[in-house]
Amino acid sequence: MRTRGLLTLLTGCMFSGKTTELLRRVAAAGSVQVFKHAMDDRYRRDAVVTHTGELTDAEVVRGADEIAAKVHAGTRLVAIDEAHFFEIELCTVIDTLRSRGVDLIVTALDRGSWGQRFPVVDRLLESADECVQKFAVCARCGGRAEWTQRLTPIIEGRLVGGPEAYEPRCARCWHAPREAAPNEECRIANGE
């Protein structure tokens, strides 16, 4: 009998179908709890929502430590959307849940719109049992997209957005935004 939970990590650029895949896997599961970071208030605050409107209810947390405290006894699967919004402590919380026999499905951007890697995602990649790299279609040339292009200026440090602010791009069509990466993306990217 397996005693350690499995970690599945779904990564890729925006619009690559990470959340759609998460919802597909959650729908097929039994006892599941879904979590999202409070920073992600797109579409609906109390649900994980795809860019096409598919959704499932979610528990909103401000930090990784809240996840461990909210997982009920008997929960067999925990789903976490947008792991790149969390601090590096998310890795410890996930490891604790796995040691209790809980399986996890986690989505995350693998890099930000300035091209930087997210340390929390890199750490999860190292420990995941299954890594699924998702790709989108480049909004410019139609090629395989693996980069996220920021389209709009950043107002008051706000980085969260949808198709009004971002689009998928291939490496040839992507370019770093002209403005410097704001403090919040730098803080998250540096694992602070």
Side-chain angles (χ1 to χ4, degrees):
M1 178 176 170
R2 179 171 58 89
T3 58
R4 184 160 175 79
L6 301 175
L7 170 59
T8 300
L9 184 61
L10 309 171
T11 65
C13 64
M14 285 187 68
F15 311 104
S16 62
K18 299 177 304 295
T19 301
T20 300
E21 179 66 13
L22 176 115
L23 295 184
R24 184 187 70 74
R25 291 181 183 218
V26 164
S31 175
V32 62
Q33 285 182 262
V34 180
F35 294 93
K36 68 183 277 186
H37 198 285
M39 190 182 307
D40 184 5
D41 58 0
R42 296 171 294 174
Y43 309 121
R44 264 189 54 188
R45 182 163 177 71
D46 61 346
V48 170
V49 184
T50 68
H51 296 294
T52 59
E54 298 172 69
L55 62 87
T56 192
D57 291 339
E59 297 180 58
V60 178
V61 294
R62 294 197 163 283
D65 57 330
E66 291 181 41
I67 295 172
K70 291 184 175 198
V71 173
H72 309 300
T75 295
R76 300 189 38 88
L77 176 67
V78 167
I80 303 170
D81 197 38
E82 310 287 7
H84 53 277
F85 287 141
F86 289 89
E87 64 278 6
I88 200 79
E89 287 76 22
L90 178 64
C91 300
T92 303
V93 169
I94 286 174
D95 195 53
T96 299
L97 292 171
R98 290 176 74 191
S99 70
R100 291 176 17 198
V102 176
D103 293 335
L104 292 107
I105 300 173
V106 178
T107 70
L109 291 175
D110 47 2
R111 61 178 84 96
S113 52
W114 279 264
Q116 84 288 348
R117 307 279 307 172
F118 292 100
V120 66
V121 179
D122 286 343
R123 289 263 306 272
L124 292 173
L125 281 166
E126 292 171 5
S127 63
D129 298 291
E130 178 186 13
C131 297
V132 179
Q133 179 73 38
K134 305 290 283 181
F135 300 96
V137 175
C138 179
R140 293 293 165 117
C141 73
R144 185 175 88 168
E146 51 191 272
W147 294 79
T148 300
Q149 183 68 57
R150 177 79 188 185
L151 301 174
T152 58
I154 297 162
I155 299 170
E156 297 177 4
R158 177 111 174 110
L159 290 168
V160 179
E164 79 290 346
Y166 296 97
E167 69 183 16
R169 298 268 181 98
C170 68
R172 238 183 23 241
C173 296
W174 175 85
H175 58 83
R178 290 189 180 134
E179 59 194 323
N183 290 340
E184 185 63 17
E185 185 158 321
C186 291
R187 183 192 68 75
I188 293 169
N190 292 322
E192 297 172 8

